[in-house]
Amino acid sequence: FRRRRVGVSAQGGASSVVEGFLFKWSPQGDSNARFAFQLWEKSNPGSPVVDETGLSDTALVLTELEPGAYQWRVAAIVPDEEEGILKVWGKVEEFNVSE
């Protein structure tokens, strides 16, 4: 039995960029993590608006999002000698874009 701590915590908010939304996250455990980011309209979870993998930065700014209800999440991705790749998703967050 082997235990390894891998995870991510995230938060979102306003950006200094006009009409921008800031998404930031921090690895929990393994500091060599890369990240994946997904954003989708709440009414259409099967079709991500943004789906990025292999990110090394711990923040992302998105602009020009259409008005609506959105959900997003971030994953920590780390290499593992036995498992190959470990990918652990953080909790799903929600926000609304108004007109």
Side-chain angles (χ1 to χ4, degrees):
F1 176 73
R2 189 174 70 111
R3 186 173 178 166
R4 185 169 181 184
R5 184 174 174 181
V6 176
V8 64
S9 63
Q11 63 184 29
S15 166
S16 60
V17 175
V18 176
E19 295 185 18
F21 294 89
L22 174 64
F23 303 91
K24 347 186 250 190
W25 51 88
S26 303
Q28 297 174 335
D30 196 314
S31 62
N32 294 321
R34 294 283 187 179
F35 305 97
F37 177 89
Q38 291 182 329
L39 172 90
W40 60 92
E41 291 183 80
K42 189 173 181 178
S43 63
N44 195 4
S47 295
V49 175
V50 178
D51 189 359
E52 292 289 332
T53 301
L55 302 170
S56 58
D57 290 339
T58 57
L60 179 68
V61 174
L62 297 177
T63 59
E64 300 182 20
L65 291 172
E66 296 292 325
Y70 291 89
Q71 294 181 311
W72 63 282
R73 66 183 182 168
V74 177
I77 305 167
V78 296
D80 183 81
E81 292 176 10
E82 293 179 21
E83 302 287 328
I85 299 283
L86 296 175
K87 185 182 208 179
V88 178
W89 288 101
K91 72 177 204 155
V92 173
E93 305 285 344
E94 296 186 14
F95 73 102
N96 293 304
V97 176
S98 58
E99 292 187 33

